[in-house]
Structure formats: structure tokens, C-alpha cells
């Protein structure tokens, strides 16, 4: 998807508020309106660009995604590029109170305007994932219960064999006009029709299945593609898989929220994976080779002689992949040197002998034997 600068298209700064964004869009819509520029392909393209920019920057969630990730971050958010100008009139014809285009059309296009019905609500679910799944990405097929279009009336809400009738209040326009006179002249206030709620039609006999709602409870299977590197709190929107809209309104989205399960061995620190491995005092003093588990793998590592408690061994690029860039975090092994809590007589005698050896005496200290071991315990724990 090509990168574009929506702020540049509307001619506003990145800190512009919603009023500034609306004002700028209105000016551009008027300037490049197809009725003012008949046959001008360049003006038509700019008209569409302005509508697309407004769609993103006027929506708090879409704008936040765009600011953080660019246009690629809008995938699955419901954002689309307009191929049909009539879609723009339908979507934004009433955002400034009455039609934004009435300055040119004298209300002719506004009179044909229809409200888009009631949008379906979003559905939010949580998906628990293991650290292993997060490290490589995964696909999940889930079942969700949601409102779907009624098959008996095909979503109309009308009884089988009947149809909706033209609203007698607005005569099918979906809106009512109130004319008021003031010292400033005649003012026209256009509002959604209270009888048909902007649809232009009413149901005289309701469907026996959905009882006029046009929707029924249903179940759906949805496949979710989860990329590697996600973490708790990340979410994946699946467009159109929420509850169905009413009266031709758009379907809501399914919002999949990631929840990372606690791992019995590993701890996550950003994209790094921490693993605390227990080694004995002789292994720490003399060195050794041990096999450790990794995410979806195993590896043999070398313990250097003289390894200290809390010392780490960093295995590069064996952690969790970066979600928004290439590369991986590291796998960090933390050595936990274990001191035995019970000793037999032979072990006790051997340690007492070691306690008097030059390399086992802590500088500036004359304490030996058991007191020396207690200092080691204090240092570790």
C-alpha cells in the first residue's frame, strides 16, 4: 500500500483538532466538487483523496493507528479507498449540518440523501496464547455468536410477502426540514426523520422471525491470523465480523485482544526471554556444559569456570520476533547457583577444608567454615 500523508492532503498540522480537520475538508470538498469541475479527472481524484484523509483523521482510533504505523496500520480498521463518488456523498453528506455540498447543488443532491442505517456493534474477545505460539505466529479458528442478517426477510424486517412502505412523514427522503425565520433571515434545519429514523421507509407488518429487527442471533467461524511478536493488550480487528447493521448499516468489527499465558519456565521482558537455570556450586566453580530449553528448541551452553550467582549468558536472536520490524530479541540465561541446605559428615569435612584454602577466603575476613557458607548464602539470597 503506497504511503500518503493525510495531513498534507488536508493542509493541516499533525496537532490539528477535529474542528480544524472538518473545516479544511469542507473547503477542499467545495473546491474539487465534481459539479464544480465537470469532466476534470484530476479534481475528482483530489476530491476522493480529501474524503479518504478526512475518514482517517476524523476517527480517533484510525488516526492513532495512522500516526503510529502509517497507512499500513489501517489494515482491518474499516478504512477503504473510494472508487465511487456517490459513496462519499452518502458517507459525509451530513457532517456539517445539512449537506456539505448544498452550496453548489441547492439541495438537489442533499434531497436524495439517505442515512446509512444503524451500524452493527463491535464484538470483543480475548485469545490466550502461549509464548511458543507468540514466538512463531499462529492461526486460530474461533466460534463467535453474533447478530446476522435475518434469512427469512433478508434483513428487511418486513413480514414474508410484504415490503416496506414509503414513510409518510418524510416522503422517502429520510429527513425532515424545519424552516425558521430570524433577524438574520430564513434558516433551514435538516434532521433525520423521527418516524423512519432516516431510512425513508417503514415496516407495516413485521417479520415473524426477527420481529422487525432484520437480524437474528447466529454463530460464525472466523479464522484469525496472529503475527509473531504480539503481546498482552495488542488487538487485531477483523472487519465486518461483528454484529450486523440494521437497515443497510455497515456490520461491526470483531476485535481480537491478545492475552499472553504465564510460562512455567520463561519470563518475557519486551522481546527478550529470561530463563533462570539452577547450577550447582561445583558447576559454577569448575565450569560445565548443560542443555537448556529454548522457545521451540534446545541448545547446549557452556558454563565458564568461576561463574557467579546472577551472572548471565546471552544467546543472540533467540527471543521473540519484533512485531513491526525485522530481528528478534535475545534469550538470556540467568545462573542461579544453588547452595545445599543439608550436608553429610564427609561433605561437611570437605567444605571445612576448602574454607581454609586461599581461594575460598574472602579478603579482610577471618571467618571460616559454617560462617563462610552463611556469607555465600547471604550474597546469593
Amino acid at each position: 500500500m503506497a504511503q500518503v500523508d493525510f495531513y498534507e492532503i488536508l493542509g493541516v498540522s499533525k496537532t490539528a483538532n477535529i474542528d480544524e480537520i472538518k473545516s479544511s475538508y469542507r473547503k477542499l470538498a467545495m473546491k474539487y466538487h465534481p459539479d464544480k469541475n465537470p469532466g476534470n479527472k484530476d479534481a475528482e481524484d483530489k476530491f476522493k483523496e480529501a474524503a479518504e484523509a478526512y475518514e482517517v483523521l476524523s476517527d480517533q482510533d484510525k488516526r492513532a493507528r495512522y500516526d503510529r504505523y502509517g497507512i499500513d496500520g489501517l489494515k482491518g480498521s474499516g478504512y477503504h479507498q473510494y472508487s465511487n463518488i456517490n459513496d462519499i456523498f452518502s458517507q459525509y453528506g451530513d457532517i456539517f449540518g445539512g449537506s456539505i455540498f448544498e452550496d453548489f447543488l441547492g439541495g438537489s443532491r442533499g434531497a436524495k440523501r439517505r442515512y446509512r442505517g444503524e451500524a452493527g456493534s463491535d464484538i470483543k474477545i480475548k485469545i490466550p496464547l502461549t509464548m511458543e505460539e507468540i514466538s512463531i505466529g499462529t492461526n486460530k479458528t474461533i466460534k463467535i455468536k453474533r447478530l446476522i442478517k435475518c434469512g427469512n426477510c433478508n434483513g428487511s424486517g418486513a413480514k414474508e410477502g410484504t415490503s416496506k412502505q414509503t414513510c409518510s412523514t418524510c416522503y422517502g427522503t429520510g429527513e425532515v426540514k424545519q424552516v425558521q425565520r430570524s433577524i438574520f433571515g430564513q434558516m433551514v434545519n435538516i434532521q433525520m426523520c423521527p418516524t423512519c429514523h432516516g431510512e425513508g421507509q417503514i415496516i407495516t407488518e413485521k417479520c415473524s422471525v426477527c420481529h422487525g429487527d432484520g437480524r437474528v442471533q447466529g454463530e460464525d467461524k472466523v479464522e484469525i491470523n496472529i503475527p509473531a511478536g504480539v503481546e498482552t493488550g495488542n488487538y487485531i480487528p477483523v472487519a465486518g465480523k461483528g454484529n450486523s447493521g440494521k437497515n443497510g448499516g455497515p456490520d461491526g468489527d470483531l476485535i481480537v485482544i491478545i492475552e499472553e499465558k504465564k510460562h512455567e519456565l520463561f519470563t518475557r521482558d519486551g522481546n527478550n526471554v529470561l530463563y533462570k537455570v539452577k547450577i550447582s556450586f561445583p558447576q559454577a566453580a569448575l565450569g560445565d556444559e548443560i542443555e537448556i530449553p529454548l522457545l521451540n528448541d534446545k541448545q547446549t551452553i557452556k558454563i565458564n569456570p568461576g561463574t557467579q550467582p546472577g551472572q548471565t549468558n546471552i544467546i543472540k536472536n533467540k527471543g521473540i520476533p519484533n512485531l513491526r520490524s525485522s530481528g528478534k530479541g535475545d534469550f538470556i540465561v540467568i545462573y542461579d547457583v544453588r547452595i545445599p541446605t543439608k550436608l553429610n559428615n564427609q561433605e561437611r569435612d570437605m567444605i571445612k577444608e576448602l574454607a581454609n584454602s586461599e581461594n575460598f577466603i574472602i579478603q579482610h575476613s577471618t571467618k571460616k567454615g559454617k560462617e563462610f557458607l552463611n556469607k555465600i548464602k547471604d550474597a546469593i539470597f
Side-chain angles (χ1 to χ4, degrees):
M1 190 177 289
Q3 295 299 318
V4 294
D5 189 334
F6 289 139
Y7 292 100
E8 183 177 339
I9 289 173
L10 292 187
V12 297
S13 70
K14 291 189 175 182
T15 59
N17 58 37
I18 187 61
D19 291 333
E20 292 172 320
I21 290 169
K22 281 185 178 181
S23 176
S24 178
Y25 172 51
R26 188 176 189 276
K27 291 176 183 177
L28 290 173
M30 290 179 176
K31 180 178 179 180
Y32 296 114
H33 193 280
D35 286 358
K36 195 176 181 182
N37 302 272
N40 188 330
K41 184 65 168 58
D42 184 59
E44 181 179 322
D45 289 342
K46 291 184 181 299
F47 186 73
K48 292 177 183 177
E49 284 181 354
E52 290 163 10
Y54 177 76
E55 177 190 339
V56 173
L57 299 186
S58 64
D59 184 288
Q60 185 176 0
D61 180 59
K62 292 178 184 177
R63 184 176 180 179
R65 291 191 191 192
Y66 174 71
D67 286 345
R68 190 170 183 182
Y69 309 120
I71 198 168
D72 289 336
L74 298 173
K75 293 178 181 177
S77 68
Y79 161 74
H80 62 281
Q81 293 177 299
Y82 292 103
S83 57
N84 189 330
I85 286 181
N86 288 326
D87 289 342
I88 301 175
F89 295 136
S90 174
Q91 178 123 354
Y92 299 122
D94 61 343
I95 62 172
F96 295 108
S99 174
I100 186 176
F101 309 117
E102 286 178 355
D103 289 350
F104 306 122
L105 307 177
S108 62
R109 195 182 299 264
K112 298 178 183 178
R113 175 157 49 97
R114 292 287 187 276
Y115 290 85
R116 302 184 66 201
E118 181 182 332
S121 58
D122 293 341
I123 298 174
K124 295 182 179 181
I125 64 166
K126 289 183 178 181
I127 288 189
L129 299 174
T130 65
M131 198 179 295
E132 285 82 0
E133 289 175 319
I134 288 173
S135 69
I136 58 176
T138 185
N139 289 322
K140 295 283 187 179
T141 300
I142 59 173
K143 287 183 179 181
I144 57 170
K145 291 184 178 180
R146 68 188 191 102
L147 291 174
I148 60 175
K149 183 188 292 186
C150 176
N152 188 59
C153 64
N154 198 30
S156 70
K159 182 180 178 180
E160 186 177 2
T162 68
S163 60
K164 294 182 179 181
Q165 304 298 312
T166 300
C167 177
S168 59
T169 301
C170 65
Y171 303 101
T173 64
E175 59 191 22
V176 292
K177 296 182 180 181
Q178 294 179 335
V179 180
Q180 296 178 331
R181 296 184 180 277
S182 70
I183 59 174
F184 301 107
Q186 182 173 286
M187 299 181 65
V188 179
N189 182 28
I190 301 175
Q191 295 180 331
M192 181 175 68
C193 175
T195 302
C196 66
H197 304 291
E199 189 184 357
Q201 296 178 314
I202 57 174
I203 299 172
T204 55
E205 293 185 79
K206 294 181 179 180
C207 170
S208 60
V209 176
C210 66
H211 307 291
D213 186 78
R215 304 174 300 176
V216 293
Q217 192 69 241
E219 190 174 77
D220 205 354
K221 282 186 177 181
V222 183
E223 184 170 321
I224 313 296
N225 179 23
I226 302 172
V230 295
E231 60 184 321
T232 295
N234 287 161
Y235 64 92
I236 300 171
V238 184
K241 287 299 182 179
N243 290 315
S244 290
K246 291 181 64 176
N247 301 325
D251 292 349
D253 295 339
L254 173 66
I255 309 298
V256 180
I257 303 171
I258 303 300
E259 190 174 68
E260 185 173 335
K261 294 180 180 179
K262 185 177 181 180
H263 202 285
E264 62 176 334
L265 296 178
F266 308 138
T267 303
R268 182 172 177 178
D269 180 17
N271 289 326
N272 295 328
V273 177
L274 310 182
Y275 173 54
K276 196 171 186 179
V277 61
K278 297 178 181 179
I279 63 174
S280 67
F281 180 76
Q283 284 177 308
L286 302 175
D288 198 1
E289 286 189 356
I290 60 173
E291 185 179 77
I292 62 168
L294 301 176
L295 286 170
N296 307 298
D297 200 1
K298 294 180 180 179
Q299 183 166 323
T300 299
I301 61 172
K302 182 179 180 181
I303 303 172
N304 294 323
T307 293
Q308 302 298 305
Q311 190 171 325
T312 60
N313 185 347
I314 299 176
I315 306 174
K316 291 289 187 181
N317 298 317
K318 289 294 184 178
I320 294 173
N322 297 319
L323 178 61
R324 300 178 184 91
S325 61
S326 60
K328 293 183 178 182
D330 299 329
F331 191 93
I332 303 175
V333 180
I334 305 171
Y335 292 115
D336 181 12
V337 181
R338 307 304 292 174
I339 304 297
T341 56
K342 293 183 179 180
L343 299 172
N344 59 36
N345 291 335
Q346 183 182 6
E347 291 167 339
R348 190 180 302 276
D349 291 339
M350 292 172 63
I351 291 178
K352 283 183 177 180
E353 185 176 349
L354 286 174
N356 294 314
S357 300
E358 180 180 353
N359 289 329
F360 283 82
I361 297 176
I362 298 176
Q363 192 174 5
H364 305 306
S365 174
T366 58
K367 295 182 180 180
K368 302 175 183 178
K370 190 173 182 179
E371 292 180 353
F372 168 73
L373 293 177
N374 286 336
K375 279 190 84 75
I376 294 179
K377 291 180 183 178
D378 291 339
I380 296 173
F381 302 104

